[in-house]
Amino acid sequence: MAADDRNAFEVYRDRVDRPLVRLFREYGAAEAHWLVIGMIANVIARIAGLLPPVVLGVAIDAVFTGDGPYSLPIVPDAWLPTTDPAQFQLSVVLILGAFVVTGVFTFIYGIAANNFAHRVMHAVRTDSFDLMQRLDMTFFDDKQTGEVMSVLNNDASNLEVFLDNALQNTARLGVMVLGIAGVLFYYNHELAVVTLSAIPLMFLFTLWFMRAVEPRYVEQRAIVGDLNTVLENALSGVELVKTSNTESHESERVETASRNYFERTMDILRLNYVYRPGMELLAGLAFAATFLVGGYWLAQGPPGPFTTELTVGTFVTFILLTQQFVAPLAEVSNIVDQYENAKASSERVFGLRDIPVRITDREDAVVLGGGDGHRGGRNGDRSSGNGDRGVDGEVVYDDVSFAYAENALVDPADADEVVVRNVSFAADPGDTVALVGPTGAGKSTLLKLLARLYDVTDGEIRVDGHDVRDVTVASLRSSIGYVSQDTTLFDGTIAENIRYGRFTGARVDADERPADDAVRDRVVEAAKAAEAHEFIDSLPNGYDTRIGERGVKLSGGQRQRVAIARVVLQDPAILVLDEATSAVDTETEMLIQRSLDRLAADRTTFVIAHRLSTVTDADTTLVLEDGEVVERGTHDELIEADGLYAKLWGVQAGEIEDLPEEFVERARARHVQRGVEGVVEGTVERETLDE
Ligand code: ADP
């Protein structure tokens, strides 16, 4: 039931209504005081800026040409001096005062406007990240990390620019246009009509520009997301790119995305090339018309239909104020620019925020094990034995079925790509359950359901008798340790990576956090149990050695042992091992195996086994094929039964040359069905044999 082929992000983005209004309501309100202070200071500064041309005009008429009285708008004439020298001095003081006021209030406005914009940006960014983290795996399966990066970076800064520059420039523009128009009308409404006749033209021109530019901005924003996604994929998959010699393919993809972006941007800029000079031309026309008509007026008296007197002072005021017009009006294209960007950006911010989070705690969710989910209970001290373990680790799958939703838009209940069918089994605390079967059989999916990375479509999974949907997600996940074949290490030191999850995160109350030394002791203890202590100790800075992004400076075997140490420290009741297929040398393999055996010893353990020889001791082995359990039992029982397991065992032990033809066919069909790119004959067979 595919709604359409857009991803969830795009769909929710399009549904956002009046994004900037929402931005102000949801983020602006809390910082509104900064905005108000900024606006008021801005308006005062601008009004003060209008004063010098007015005072200059009045002084010229009263002091120098004697054409008019010394009178100022608003101020009663009785307050003003009557002698020329006093009027001149007052004019100088007023002009100077106006500049001081402009300076002081510009300073205040700068601080307030910056505070407003940056505080909102900070809130938007941190909030979006929090929300993004809570989204279900289905969202991330859609590979939208590029888009998310773009929300957290580009969009947040677009909003900042808008809230700072655009808002304040709009206020400035409003004050200037209204203020200047007011003053001009006050002094000579007839000449004012000449000067301001350009305003309606500018308005229409701006309207045309906005209409033309808006759809282009929408396109441009979408393309930024595409570009980010391409870059992100190429960078995170750099190893695959190199090993498959697809650098030129990736370069082409980046070239295409970047060219698209370039072309859209040029589209927008072309409009700007017309708009900006056009506005300046119109402003120039207003200036020239004022100069022409005003000059003629002074020399020959009121031209044409005009009847009022024009003095030299008023003429100077007009010329100076008309010039002040030009700068803020030329900003209009920037304001439009920033406004369009901000609108698109806040649509994306709220699009992300509106995506429903399906996997969350029920209102009456209980804490699994009653404690913090760690076996060690509140004290978290392993040496205290198992007496106070919070979670026993009894796991029951009861007729579980699951289908992947095509994307985050599809209600999981409507998903039709069934990959797990009616799976039932029970594991007692401490049991080891091995999952075997061909690639794509559903082994990993089955265990992702246990940690509620996805929710079952049918049936239920119980841990210690609780449906996993009835316990808090945090307590469930912290009672499950996960060691995968693709180990993620964060940028940071080895020690930080080992304590990640156990002594990092909100779950750990500050007052429960042991002293640094105690943590270090336990980190070392965990590393020893993971057979990692020796190699860590031999590194230049031992446990404080930084490992690069994704831990590129460690070997695969070393990374895996760091990951195992992390789980040892986590001390979960349930362990999920996604066994490594990547070849490590025999000695490393032995070390890893030994540490895993130790780790698994008294926990309920699920092993996704690729080599059957590592799980012959499992209490139960489930053989999966196409999402169904086709065989189950101990190693001996399964060999006895002489089914799929026995065949796989034979292949891996080198007894059978080839897999049955129908088996290879099925695996190949599955690959084709999934549209996996670049699967060549040999790969299918090799992968299948790996199992
Ligand atoms: P296994 O671990 O046995 O190799 P998986 O559980 O990874 O199998 O996959 C089972 C099936 O589910 C496969 O057909 C796979 O293509 C599909 N699948 C796995 N992950 C996803 C996902 N995130 N979205 C959609 N389909 C998926």
Side-chain angles (χ1 to χ4, degrees):
M1 211 196 82
D4 52 39
D5 57 3
R6 293 174 305 164
N7 62 41
F9 195 16
E10 287 166 325
V11 169
Y12 280 95
R13 185 172 72 206
D14 290 349
R15 287 187 197 164
V16 174
D17 199 25
R18 298 203 294 166
L20 286 175
V21 175
R22 262 184 86 179
L23 181 72
F24 277 101
R25 247 202 327 254
E26 293 180 30
Y27 292 100
E31 307 295 342
H33 52 287
W34 289 113
L35 179 64
V36 172
I37 294 173
M39 285 286 180
I40 292 175
N42 191 5
V43 168
I44 293 177
R46 294 310 143 203
I47 290 177
L50 296 180
L51 207 57
V54 171
V55 173
L56 187 64
V58 170
I60 287 174
D61 284 347
V63 181
F64 301 117
T65 64
D67 277 350
Y70 194 83
S71 106
L72 291 169
I74 310 173
V75 187
D77 285 345
W79 294 6
L80 296 173
T82 48
T83 63
D84 280 358
Q87 288 172 346
F88 178 68
Q89 281 157 11
L90 178 65
S91 300
V92 172
V93 170
L94 281 178
I95 288 173
L96 200 65
F99 280 116
V100 171
V101 169
T102 305
V104 169
F105 281 89
T106 303
F107 170 76
I108 295 173
Y109 129 74
I111 291 175
N114 283 335
N115 260 288
F116 176 68
H118 283 274
R119 279 163 198 272
V120 169
M121 171 172 81
H122 174 68
V124 166
R125 185 178 283 150
T126 49
D127 238 33
S128 302
F129 182 75
D130 285 354
L131 284 162
M132 183 272 296
Q133 286 209 108
R134 267 181 267 152
L135 289 174
D136 308 340
M137 285 306 294
T138 321
F139 174 80
F140 298 98
D141 291 343
D142 266 0
K143 287 234 182 345
Q144 295 162 19
T145 39
E147 301 241 24
V148 175
M149 287 297 280
S150 156
V151 168
L152 298 177
N153 284 325
N154 302 357
D155 293 328
S157 19
N158 281 344
L159 293 181
E160 185 266 315
V161 170
F162 170 73
L163 295 173
D164 194 340
N165 295 355
L167 274 192
Q168 298 297 342
N169 279 338
T170 309
R172 178 169 86 138
L173 182 68
V175 172
M176 296 301 265
V177 172
L178 292 180
I180 290 175
V183 172
L184 296 189
F185 270 101
Y186 178 84
Y187 280 104
N188 190 318
H189 62 277
E190 289 174 346
L191 186 56
V193 171
V194 174
T195 307
L196 299 176
S197 57
I199 297 275
L201 291 178
M202 288 175 169
F203 180 75
L204 289 177
F205 191 46
T206 302
L207 213 60
W208 164 81
F209 174 73
M210 285 176 78
R211 291 247 166 89
V213 85
E214 168 144 28
R216 296 189 164 119
Y217 271 117
V218 173
E219 266 180 63
Q220 190 204 34
R221 301 267 89 230
I223 286 168
V224 173
D226 290 350
L227 181 60
N228 282 345
T229 305
V230 172
L231 290 175
E232 216 264 344
N233 284 349
L235 284 178
S236 60
V238 66
E239 201 174 289
L240 176 67
V241 172
K242 283 191 184 298
T243 52
S244 8
N245 282 321
T246 46
E247 286 97 339
S248 57
H249 172 68
E250 290 304 320
S251 295
E252 266 169 44
R253 288 190 352 165
V254 170
E255 143 82 23
T256 309
S258 177
R259 175 158 298 280
N260 273 342
Y261 178 71
F262 166 77
E263 279 165 4
R264 285 299 87 72
T265 308
M266 288 310 286
D267 256 7
I268 293 171
L269 289 178
R270 269 191 286 274
L271 283 173
N272 265 306
Y273 296 152
V274 178
Y275 178 72
R276 235 172 195 280
M279 286 296 275
E280 288 190 17
L281 184 68
L282 288 174
L285 282 178
F287 181 79
T290 309
F291 192 60
L292 177 74
V293 175
Y296 187 74
W297 201 316
L298 279 183
Q300 325 231 333
F306 299 138
T307 53
T308 50
E309 279 289 302
L310 181 69
T311 61
V312 177
T314 306
F315 182 61
V316 169
T317 303
F318 263 73
I319 291 296
L320 289 179
L321 287 180
T322 309
Q323 274 198 311
Q324 285 202 14
F325 246 173
V326 183
L329 277 172
E331 281 299 314
V332 172
S333 79
N334 278 342
I335 295 176
V336 173
D337 224 88
Q338 290 158 2
Y339 166 79
E340 294 296 345
N341 268 334
K343 212 167 82 173
S345 289
S346 48
E347 250 166 38
R348 293 155 58 82
V349 166
F350 290 111
L352 181 64
R353 139 174 285 207
D354 290 348
I355 297 172
V357 178
R358 294 203 174 91
I359 295 181
T360 54
D361 292 348
R362 286 189 176 165
E363 258 180 33
D364 52 355
V366 297
V367 173
L368 186 62
D372 60 4
H374 291 283
R375 279 197 321 159
R378 295 185 65 79
N379 298 323
D381 187 358
R382 274 199 84 182
S383 60
S384 67
N386 295 334
D388 57 353
R389 69 160 61 166
V391 180
D392 294 330
E394 182 209 17
V395 176
V396 175
Y397 275 59
D398 191 351
D399 203 20
V400 169
S401 295
F402 173 73
Y404 279 106
E406 215 159 298
N407 57 47
L409 290 174
V410 178
D411 190 319
D414 295 330
D416 47 15
E417 212 185 312
V418 180
V419 296
V420 172
R421 282 170 232 271
N422 309 100
V423 171
S424 296
F425 66 84
D428 287 333
D431 273 4
T432 294
V433 177
L435 301 171
V436 303
T439 303
K443 305 180 294 289
S444 321
T445 304
L446 206 57
L447 295 177
K448 283 177 187 163
L449 296 174
L450 178 62
R452 267 194 96 194
L453 291 181
Y454 304 89
D455 271 340
V456 300
T457 329
D458 255 315
E460 66 177 37
I461 299 173
R462 291 187 294 272
V463 173
D464 289 3
H466 296 284
D467 186 324
V468 289
R469 288 165 295 186
D470 293 336
V471 298
T472 62
V473 175
S475 67
L476 174 71
R477 291 190 184 153
S478 56
S479 67
I480 302 172
Y482 184 65
V483 182
S484 80
Q485 38 178 304
D486 175 27
T487 305
T488 306
L489 298 184
F490 285 103
D491 201 23
T493 66
I494 301 248
E496 281 164 359
N497 266 283
I498 293 178
R499 29 172 231 266
Y500 190 84
R502 182 65 183 94
F503 295 108
T504 314
R507 229 167 13 79
V508 188
D509 295 339
D511 56 346
E512 272 186 37
R513 204 185 302 251
D516 284 352
D517 282 355
V519 171
R520 174 52 61 98
D521 287 348
R522 291 179 47 192
V523 165
V524 173
E525 197 189 315
K528 282 182 181 157
E531 307 277 354
H533 178 69
E534 233 166 86
F535 93 78
I536 295 173
D537 223 21
S538 70
L539 292 171
N541 291 316
Y543 284 83
D544 297 318
T545 308
R546 281 194 85 81
I547 38 188
E549 238 186 6
R550 286 165 188 254
V552 282
K553 288 181 223 148
L554 295 185
S555 75
Q558 291 171 330
R559 283 210 305 265
Q560 196 161 23
R561 277 175 286 162
V562 171
I564 293 171
R566 181 189 291 163
V567 176
V568 171
L569 196 61
Q570 181 192 349
D571 192 21
I574 301 165
L575 185 64
V576 172
L577 303 178
D578 196 343
E579 202 189 55
T581 42
S582 50
V584 286
D585 60 87
T586 331
E587 195 193 325
T588 309
E589 187 186 331
M590 194 201 69
L591 290 176
I592 291 176
Q593 200 52 50
R594 204 163 65 189
S595 63
L596 286 178
D597 288 347
R598 201 175 293 144
L599 188 60
D602 56 350
R603 298 166 215 272
T604 312
T605 305
F606 297 91
V607 191
I608 296 179
H610 299 277
R611 270 159 312 143
L612 305 184
S613 56
T614 58
V615 289
T616 50
D617 292 339
D619 297 295
T620 319
T621 297
L622 303 174
V623 185
L624 274 112
E625 205 191 354
D626 275 338
E628 278 172 294
V629 178
V630 291
E631 288 171 33
R632 69 178 76 204
T634 60
H635 173 73
D636 292 340
E637 288 164 359
L638 289 165
I639 291 290
E640 185 92 352
D642 201 21
L644 179 57
Y645 182 90
K647 281 192 190 116
L648 289 169
W649 176 258
V651 172
Q652 293 195 350
E655 285 167 14
I656 299 177
E657 283 298 298
D658 278 310
L659 279 173
E661 186 55 30
E662 41 124 13
F663 190 72
V664 176
E665 276 307 318
R666 269 208 301 271
R668 185 176 291 142
R670 251 195 316 271
H671 275 289
V672 173
Q673 200 184 348
R674 272 181 280 150
V676 175
E677 264 179 59
V679 173
V680 287
E681 294 276 301
T683 329
V684 177
E685 252 148 294
R686 217 179 49 88
E687 274 188 26
T688 317
L689 284 168
D690 272 353
E691 303 299 322

